[in-house]
Amino acid sequence: MIISIIVAIAENNAIGKNNQLLWHMPNDLKHFKEITSGRTIVMGRKTFDSVGKPLPKRRNIVVTRQEIEIPGCEVVKSIDEGLALCDGEDEVFIGGGAEIYRQAMDKTDRIYLTIIHKVFDADTFFPEIDYSQWNEVSRERHEPDEKNPLPYSFITLDRR
């Protein structure tokens, strides 16, 4: 099973503020949907709360220490418990937030990284990537357009 992180970060590794995304980039949302549709996505409860509902056409696993039920989601106590439910799947996605990304980094085989080419004021950051551990297998740079106000790049990294 390939364990993949999927994340959009600013140039300063910012990913959020006040449990919200820092930008609205429809092409990144489309990219996320194309990559994860039909697959399992593991996310923390705060990330789930910011999304507000299970992601359609995906198996949603939410990691939380709370004793709660979330309709349309499987609730687990740890990333390892969530990944154990995915035995036999070819690729599983880690969808945030910061603490879940931090816990998953050493287990991760691939990173689907969107870099928004701007620095943002934030309170939540993606962990530093040690690029010596990764091979860049693809990169597409995109300039702003009428729907996407900032330049961005889609990058895929595979662990060496």
Side-chain angles (χ1 to χ4, degrees), residues 97-111:
E99 180 61 20
I100 299 297
Y101 288 137
R102 188 189 64 70
Q103 291 178 26
M105 190 61 91
D106 289 342
K107 306 172 191 327
T108 298
D109 304 299
R110 179 172 294 147
I111 300 174

Side-chain angles (χ1 to χ4, degrees), residues 79-116:
I79 292 173
D80 288 337
E81 186 182 341
L83 293 173
L85 294 176
C86 303
D87 192 36
E89 295 185 31
D90 59 346
E91 188 172 18
V92 174
F93 292 89
I94 306 296
E99 180 61 20
I100 299 297
Y101 288 137
R102 188 189 64 70
Q103 291 178 26
M105 190 61 91
D106 289 342
K107 306 172 191 327
T108 298
D109 304 299
R110 179 172 294 147
I111 300 174
Y112 295 93
L113 180 65
T114 301
I115 297 180
I116 307 298

Side-chain angles (χ1 to χ4, degrees), residues 5-25:
I5 282 177
I6 187 161
V7 63
I9 68 173
E11 288 183 344
N12 60 335
N13 281 18
I15 59 174
K17 187 169 183 178
N18 301 321
N19 207 32
Q20 297 295 315
L21 292 176
L22 301 168
W23 48 75
H24 179 69
M25 299 286 289

Side-chain angles (χ1 to χ4, degrees), residues 49-64:
D49 288 348
S50 74
V51 174
K53 63 182 183 195
L55 294 168
K57 298 181 181 157
R58 279 155 279 208
R59 179 183 185 192
N60 291 255
I61 298 176
V62 177
V63 179
T64 181

Side-chain angles (χ1 to χ4, degrees), residues 63-74:
V63 179
T64 181
R65 290 184 290 270
Q66 296 178 349
E67 292 289 335
I68 58 173
E69 289 186 20
I70 303 172
C73 299
E74 296 166 73

Side-chain angles (χ1 to χ4, degrees), residues 32-41 53-60 72 93:
F32 177 91
K33 184 178 178 181
E34 286 172 354
I35 291 172
T36 62
S37 283
R39 309 291 185 123
T40 298
I41 188 150
K53 63 182 183 195
L55 294 168
K57 298 181 181 157
R58 279 155 279 208
R59 179 183 185 192
N60 291 255
F93 292 89

